[in-house]
Each structure stands twice: as C-alpha cells, then as structure tokens.
Amino acid sequence: MKLFDVYPLYDIAITRASGAYVWDGNGVQYLDMYGGHAVISIGHTHPHWVKRIEDQLEKIAFYSNSVHLPIQQQLADKLGAVSGKNDYQLFLCNSGAEANENALKLASFHTGRKKIVAFSKSFHGRTSLAVAATDNPAIVAPVNETNNVAFLPFNDVAALEQYFAANGHSIAAVIVEGIQGVGGIQIASEAFLQCIRQQCDQYNALFIADSVQCGYGRSGKFFSHDYANVQADIYTMAKGMGNGFPVAGMLIAPHIPAKHGMLGTTFGGNPLACAAALAVLEVIEQDNLIEMAKQRGMYIMNKLKEFPELSNVRGRGLMIGFDVPENLKSLRKTLIFDYKIFTGEAKPNTIRLLPSLALTRKQADEFLETLREAIDAVKAEASNQVSVKP
C-alpha cells in the first residue's frame, strides 16, 4: 500500500530526537530550528515528558468523556495558573484545526449569527469551517465554500471598523492569529487587536484568538495576543501544547455558557494527552521557558539584523522570520542538506524559525555561525555559475 502523496518530502528519514537535535537513519545529526511547525516546545523527548506519559500509560491510556477523568481537571488547573486565565473554561480536543472549528461553532451557537471575520494570509486549519476562514483557495474544496466568511486586510484598523459599521449585527466572531505563521511571521499590531476587542464588545461578537502556533509561551508571553493587553473570548491552542503528542483545546471566557451536547470529542482530553500536556506546562513553569524564549528570541533577532543579506527580520520570542533575496533562494535547502539545520519557510522568500523554547545560547550561536557559512556558500556558488556562463 502506498502513502497518499500530499506532502512534498525531503529525502531524509528522521529516526531519533533529543532536545534541539534530530538524527536520520544514518546517524547524521541535525539542529532543529523548526520544531516540526512549532510543535516541540520543551525539546524532543524531554525526560520529564517521557516519564509522565510512561507513568500514565501504566495506569490508564483511555476512557470516554462520559465519566470523570481527574487528570483533565489537573490540566485545567495548571493551564489556568501558567496562562493567567484562571477564570476561563477548558474544552479539550485533538488538533489546532479541531480547536478552531469548535471555536467558530461555539461563537455561532452563542451569538445566533453566521458571519465570521478573518484576515488576509490567515491559516486556521483544514476542517470545514477552519479552512473556510483560511486565506488559501487552493486548499478550500467546493464543499467548504461559504459566503459566511469575510476576509479583511490584516492589521487594517480602518477596514475593520468600516466592515463592522456595515455588518456588525450579523457577525458571530472575529478570528485572528496573534502572529501569523503560515502567513510569514506577520505580527498583529497592538492597536489592531485592541480594535478587534472594541468592535466585538460594541456589536456583541466574539473575539477568537488563534494561538495554535503563536501560543504556549513561544512569543515570550503565554499568548501572543497578551501583548495588546486585551482578553479574547476564546483562545485556541494545539501545537506546542503536547510537545508532539496530539492534544489541543480552547480556553473559553466565563460569560459563555456550556450546554450538554453542544460540543463533543472521543479522544480529546484522554489521559495520555493530558499527561503530555501537563508535563509541558510543568517544564515551562519550572525552567522559566517563557522568559527564556523572549530573551533568546531577542538575541537571535538582533544578530540576524547584522546580516547584510537578510531583510525584514521580525518576530516575537522564538517565532522569528526573515526574508532572503532572490540570489539566496536556495538557502533553506542548503541549510538542510549541506549544513544539517532544519528551518521552516513561508512563500515566497521567508525563512521561519520555530525552535524549542529550551534552545540554549550555545545552540543559538551554532545556528547563527552556520547560517553565515551557508549564506557565503550560496553566494559563492551563484558567483561561480555567473562566471562560467558563455
């Protein structure tokens, strides 16, 4: 049987991982500056995370949500304490798309409305509503198409106010990433997020803070939206939440009531997932990883700004992007294959960095020094190609 061929794959088979490094089947070591799309928040196979899962596996791996599972409340308590959202309610599920899908559905239930406001270059997932609110027609199937989603320019306060003035009483929710990931590490301005809060309050719509990639401490605050000093009605979480174990959730403001049967999940909140998520929060808290991400990110960005070849260095914490010129378009592949460093990308010319929040100064310097070598190598190769042309 063949695997369904939907991913363009590099010819590398990763078989082992630890901390900020991964190894292929030949034993070659790679520095992981991408963390599998910002999933690895505390480092690969962190010993506390492994032990938490192993201990839970010996007790109970799964039972349905028709009974009390005490570890769910333990996770809710720890999440409230670390995030500072103690008065919120927790709904657990399995993936970021599922979290956003349920958030949009809950907003429609709560308001009795259908219209959703999303933004240019947004990415919220691949399930029906989440993909309809994603600004990429190539991944929206005909069955997903709807007139209920309006896309507005990102960070455009005037456009947002104008749209609400004309349509406010039909809007169920605004969904926005605090830092767009797939969109190329674009940071939502504080004024923009504050405007969303004000407009949602004025028209009784819900503010959904998509924190699937930019949350869980990656930005230097637990939720990147917190930089604007506003409270969202719903926060969605996933990637960094389980450090590789599938787990996701929503934090739901106390003014939004629950009703039996309105949401549901089979595997969401299973004991193994909760154990993994608890381990992540315990390590984040114990090792002060949110502040570490903030400081390490500032260090890396300041150093990147010294590279004359790179432009528009941006980000918060360890969610960093920079643009490369056309003559360096092969830089990412060169980093992977010749210098054994994984990074991410965003079209057309952005390299994304999303490493573990536990990245050390030594590992940051390793990346920066190797990046300098890789840039010089790509420039030399391009120069050689020009010189041999007839």
Side-chain angles (χ1 to χ4, degrees):
M1 179 183 292
K2 292 171 58 179
L3 294 174
F4 199 47
D5 187 13
V6 293
Y7 299 113
L9 300 178
Y10 290 118
D11 190 20
I12 301 170
I14 298 302
T15 59
R16 185 166 67 89
S18 178
Y21 297 96
V22 297
W23 288 263
D24 67 19
N26 297 317
V28 176
Q29 176 180 287
Y30 297 74
L31 176 63
D32 185 8
M33 292 296 291
Y34 192 53
H37 312 297
V39 166
I40 302 303
S41 50
I42 61 171
H44 291 281
T45 59
H46 190 288
H48 179 66
W49 178 83
V50 171
K51 189 174 189 308
R52 261 289 198 175
I53 295 172
E54 288 177 343
D55 288 350
Q56 187 60 47
L57 190 59
E58 292 179 353
K59 297 174 184 176
I60 179 173
F62 175 80
Y63 206 73
S64 81
N65 285 304
S66 60
V67 299
H68 288 288
L69 297 170
I71 196 169
Q72 292 183 347
Q73 188 59 55
Q74 294 171 33
L75 175 57
D77 291 343
K78 178 60 74 174
L79 182 52
V82 177
S83 69
K85 314 291 185 189
N86 275 304
D87 58 341
Y88 279 61
Q89 308 160 89
L90 175 63
F91 176 80
L92 291 163
C93 49
N94 306 284
S95 71
E98 191 179 334
N100 283 332
E101 187 85 10
N102 279 290
L104 293 165
K105 184 177 180 181
L106 180 58
S108 185
F109 270 135
H110 181 70
T111 63
R113 302 171 182 173
K114 297 180 180 179
K115 296 292 184 182
I116 302 296
V117 173
F119 298 98
S120 57
K121 294 189 176 182
S122 62
F123 187 94
H124 299 295
R126 294 176 182 269
T127 54
S128 186
L129 269 174
V131 81
T134 291
D135 187 21
N136 183 356
I139 64 172
V140 179
V143 73
N144 303 134
E145 293 173 359
T146 175
N147 293 322
N148 289 327
V149 179
F151 290 98
L152 303 182
F154 188 66
N155 271 339
D156 190 329
V157 168
L160 182 69
E161 291 176 337
Q162 183 178 3
Y163 188 82
F164 262 95
N167 304 279
H169 295 294
S170 64
I171 297 172
V174 177
I175 185 167
V176 63
E177 299 155 272
I179 305 172
Q180 291 185 333
V182 175
I185 314 297
Q186 308 300 329
I187 301 172
S189 71
E190 294 176 17
F192 184 57
L193 295 176
Q194 289 163 1
C195 181
I196 292 173
R197 179 69 277 169
Q198 186 273 326
Q199 294 294 311
C200 286
D201 286 342
Q202 182 176 343
Y203 290 94
N204 296 314
L206 296 192
F207 180 167
I208 300 172
D210 181 344
S211 298
V212 169
Q213 187 171 128
C214 60
Y216 250 74
R218 176 158 296 281
S219 69
K221 289 186 179 289
F222 195 87
F223 295 116
S224 63
H225 302 74
D226 290 343
Y227 279 97
N229 292 313
V230 295
Q231 298 291 322
D233 298 297
I234 302 173
Y235 295 87
T236 58
M237 312 161 290
K239 295 185 184 299
M241 189 174 180
N243 203 54
F245 199 103
V247 59
M250 298 188 292
L251 291 188
I252 303 161
H255 68 85
I256 302 173
K259 178 182 177 182
H260 288 176
M262 72 190 309
L263 304 177
T265 174
T266 296
F267 296 108
N270 69 78
L272 279 180
C274 289
L278 269 167
V280 169
L281 290 170
E282 288 161 353
V283 172
I284 284 175
E285 187 176 44
Q286 177 180 320
D287 293 351
N288 198 25
L289 291 188
I290 297 177
E291 180 61 24
M292 183 180 291
K294 182 178 180 180
Q295 297 300 327
R296 199 75 73 228
M298 290 173 60
Y299 174 75
I300 292 172
M301 283 188 281
N302 285 336
K303 291 293 185 181
L304 288 172
K305 289 174 182 177
E306 297 175 5
F307 286 62
E309 301 87 354
L310 308 180
S311 62
N312 196 17
V313 176
R314 59 204 182 268
R316 276 180 167 150
L318 287 172
M319 190 166 185
I320 298 169
F322 57 86
D323 296 336
V324 298
E326 182 65 19
N327 68 321
L328 293 180
K329 64 182 180 180
S330 64
L331 179 59
R332 181 170 178 254
K333 287 186 178 180
T334 298
L335 282 168
I336 295 173
F337 289 105
D338 296 344
Y339 293 90
K340 312 307 178 189
I341 293 181
F342 279 107
T343 65
E345 67 176 349
K347 302 297 183 183
N349 62 341
T350 295
I351 286 181
R352 288 193 286 160
L353 305 179
L354 300 160
S356 160
L357 308 189
L359 188 79
T360 65
R361 170 71 175 268
K362 181 179 179 181
Q363 290 160 348
D365 285 335
E366 178 185 346
F367 165 72
L368 292 163
E369 291 164 9
T370 307
L371 177 64
R372 179 69 271 163
E373 294 179 28
I375 289 173
D376 291 342
V378 173
K379 288 168 65 178
E381 182 179 358
S383 177
N384 290 336
Q385 288 175 350
V386 169
S387 64
V388 299
K389 283 185 178 181

